[in-house]
Amino acid sequence: MPPWGAALVMLAALALLGLLAPWLRRPGRLAVGARTLPGAGGQGHKEEVYGRSPADQLSDGREPLPGGCRLICKPSALAQCLLRAFRRSAALEPGPRSWLSGPHLQTLCHFVLPVGPGPELAREYLQLADDGLVALDWVVGPCARSHRVTNAGGLPAVLLVIPNAWGRLTRNVLGFCLLALERGYYPVIFHRRGHHDCPLVSPRLQPFGDPSDLKEAITYIRFRHPAAPLFAVSEGSGSALLLSYLGECGSSSYVTGAACISPVLRCREWFEAGLPWPYERGFLLHQKIALSRYATALEDTVDIGKLFRSRSLREFEETLFCHTKSFPISWDTYWDHNDPLRDVDEAAVPVLCICSADDPVCGPPNHFLPTELFHSNPYFFLLLSHHGGHCGFLRQEPLPAWSHEVILEYFRALTEFFRMEEKMKGLSRRRASCLGGRRRWGTLPKREVSPSSYLEEIFSWKRSYTR
């Protein structure tokens, strides 16, 4: 198809989405007229929510951030640090409204438009323990050296980028890698088995939330850059892989901080409810085209005919990973092992989730965002905006997506926070050593240090932003 033909098809799809936007909501997703809130004496009272946006309904009452965004989280020292950083952020300042403001336009421009000239990538294949292959694309250029910002520690931080679960490398991912490279990071893109021209050398694909391949890749990255900080960013459905990894590894994840752009958090419900039909068909078609080249290799483990006759993402996922010929499992068992929030209480890394209230793929936040997670877990922060679509958050060209700037500011705030915590911990240790020397030569009786106080001293940096 000639370029002008593709442009006409895209414009027709955009116009159709604009006309059908009122009917693209999933059943049962409209906000109710009133909700019951806990009141005194265990009684509830009604709060009218007519005319309020989903972002306002999920607000925790704090002072709003620039651009009408809200930071939903558990109060802590780190939360206060991030609030101060976001209030100073120029990226959140509202810009002039443009034709890109609609959620479907934001989403489709992100997924449909051609990628264009991207960064220079150096590919590296990593052979896994079961002889499978994953690919690591190291971003090596272009970068204007005169504008590059180096880190205070001298070593550039490694930035691991995880694309969406369908394996499509989008404009925003490549633009984010270029911006991060200019800011002094060393980005690397992780590609799953069979994704983005990574050969499928064994008849096994990576399930939706199985982080085993990612564990080996991060271990290798850590081996190559043992002294560099490691940050991680995921896009859309790829966030299930990152969150599964952080939950399974806990404090041994090697990751300093993580961010998720438009994450799919309640994945099972998301698959079962289905997407609006243009997105459902588009994502399903992309997966079928990507796997068609491996049809012969997979025919011994998967019913290929049934796979390519799938009419929904759930049917496709269930056929590919549940109804296998060698080891079939149930849909319930599959999600017991692949739910990204199954071990979320074990996560020990700050995670920022950037979501939009008008996301047409994930749906309204009051249905598909587990807000109790952000209110109760001190490691999880939700930055909720009114507009942005799914993984869009676009601004007028040539400005990058504002989510890119916010994530890099978040990583910078984390680095400064941890540096201050380490400095305060060093001062407290020196003070304790001085007091110990005085007691040794003075007349004060020696007191035994309890094991609990010793542990508190070791983990003081954790207590500092979980209090």
Side-chain angles (χ1 to χ4, degrees):
M1 179 182 293
W4 58 267
L8 287 177
V9 171
M10 184 193 70
L11 289 175
L14 293 177
L16 182 61
L17 280 171
L19 292 173
L20 297 178
W23 293 275
L24 286 179
R25 296 182 180 272
R26 301 184 204 175
R29 284 194 159 195
L30 297 177
V32 295
R35 57 178 176 174
T36 302
L37 298 175
Q43 300 296 323
H45 66 278
K46 298 288 184 178
E47 179 189 14
E48 296 297 328
V49 295
Y50 289 110
R52 301 176 64 197
S53 70
D56 291 332
Q57 295 177 29
L58 293 177
S59 169
D60 57 356
R62 286 204 183 112
E63 178 185 350
L65 297 171
C69 296
R70 298 278 181 175
L71 184 65
I72 301 174
C73 58
K74 183 177 181 179
S76 64
L78 179 56
Q80 291 298 323
C81 175
L82 295 181
L83 275 173
R84 289 193 296 269
F86 291 152
R87 282 170 183 157
R88 297 192 302 265
S89 174
L92 294 179
E93 291 293 340
R97 300 284 290 178
S98 68
W99 66 276
L100 275 176
S101 300
H104 299 293
L105 289 174
Q106 289 253 343
T107 303
L108 287 177
C109 286
H110 167 61
F111 282 101
V112 176
L113 288 183
V115 172
E120 181 182 351
L121 303 175
R123 169 152 291 194
E124 194 171 14
Y125 292 105
L126 180 64
Q127 188 172 22
L128 305 175
D130 63 350
D131 295 332
L133 284 183
V134 295
L136 297 174
D137 281 343
W138 297 88
V139 182
V140 295
C143 180
R145 298 290 175 180
S146 58
H147 297 288
R148 182 164 183 170
V149 180
T150 57
N151 291 330
L155 289 173
V158 177
L159 180 60
L160 176 64
V161 180
I162 302 175
N164 56 68
W166 325 129
R168 173 158 178 80
L169 201 57
T170 58
R171 292 167 53 91
N172 272 9
V173 166
L174 295 176
F176 178 69
C177 290
L178 280 174
L179 181 63
L181 188 67
E182 293 176 1
R183 301 293 175 85
Y185 293 85
Y186 192 10
V188 55
I189 305 172
F190 172 80
H191 296 290
R192 310 180 193 214
R193 306 172 185 230
H195 284 189
H196 204 68
D197 297 328
C198 178
L200 186 67
V201 297
S202 62
R204 179 181 180 272
L205 293 169
Q206 187 173 14
F208 197 77
D210 179 11
S212 55
D213 293 354
L214 184 61
K215 287 181 184 178
E216 295 190 52
I218 290 180
T219 301
Y220 171 72
I221 293 172
R222 184 69 175 175
F223 172 77
R224 279 195 56 176
H225 302 273
L230 176 62
F231 295 95
V233 176
S234 60
E235 180 191 56
S237 52
S239 300
L241 191 60
L242 177 58
L243 293 175
S244 296
Y245 170 79
L246 295 177
E248 283 198 9
C249 294
S251 58
S252 303
S253 65
Y254 301 121
V255 177
T256 302
C260 303
I261 304 173
S262 297
V264 181
L265 297 177
R266 290 175 173 165
C267 297
R268 178 173 180 172
E269 293 88 342
W270 184 71
F271 271 100
E272 292 176 349
L275 277 66
W277 65 265
Y279 299 104
E280 182 96 16
R281 297 297 181 186
F283 290 147
L284 186 60
L285 179 61
H286 182 271
Q287 283 197 284
K288 289 181 179 179
I289 293 174
L291 284 184
S292 62
R293 59 186 299 188
Y294 304 119
T296 304
L298 294 173
E299 63 183 1
D300 293 335
T301 58
V302 179
D303 187 343
I304 294 297
K306 183 179 180 181
L307 182 70
F308 288 105
R309 290 193 303 270
S310 302
R311 302 175 63 89
S312 66
L313 288 174
R314 173 186 173 166
E315 186 180 355
F316 188 90
E317 190 82 6
E318 199 168 2
T319 304
L320 189 60
F321 295 109
C322 298
H323 301 162
T324 59
K325 297 179 180 180
S326 58
F327 188 67
I329 59 175
S330 66
W331 184 246
D332 292 337
T333 304
Y334 178 73
W335 285 111
D336 287 342
H337 296 286
N338 287 276
D339 189 337
L341 302 183
R342 62 190 181 277
D343 296 315
V344 70
D345 291 338
E346 302 296 326
V349 172
V351 180
L352 175 67
C353 297
I354 301 180
C355 300
S356 172
D358 64 356
D359 189 328
V361 174
C362 292
N366 54 346
H367 281 80
F368 279 83
L369 278 180
T371 53
E372 65 278 0
L373 169 67
F374 300 98
H375 284 298
S376 61
N377 194 314
Y379 292 99
F380 282 80
F381 304 87
L382 172 62
L383 184 63
L384 185 61
S385 68
H386 291 285
H387 307 287
H390 183 72
C391 301
F393 306 103
L394 301 177
R395 296 183 291 185
Q396 292 182 346
E397 294 290 346
L399 296 174
W402 62 260
S403 57
H404 301 171
E405 295 277 359
V406 168
I407 288 174
L408 295 181
E409 290 174 0
Y410 159 70
F411 288 154
R412 184 165 54 248
L414 277 185
T415 303
E416 291 297 326
F417 179 82
F418 289 140
R419 184 179 294 120
M420 289 299 299
E421 288 295 315
E422 291 297 327
K423 185 182 297 184
M424 293 177 63
K425 186 167 64 173
L427 289 175
S428 64
R429 285 177 176 173
R430 286 196 294 270
R431 187 180 300 121
S433 64
C434 292
L435 291 176
R438 291 177 186 175
R439 293 191 186 103
R440 186 179 300 118
W441 298 106
T443 58
L444 292 176
K446 183 177 180 180
R447 294 191 304 173
E448 295 292 333
V449 179
S450 66
S452 60
S453 64
Y454 177 72
L455 290 176
E456 288 178 359
E457 176 64 21
I458 293 177
F459 297 106
S460 61
W461 67 274
K462 285 189 178 180
R463 189 180 69 253
S464 64
Y465 65 94
T466 57
R467 61 173 180 264

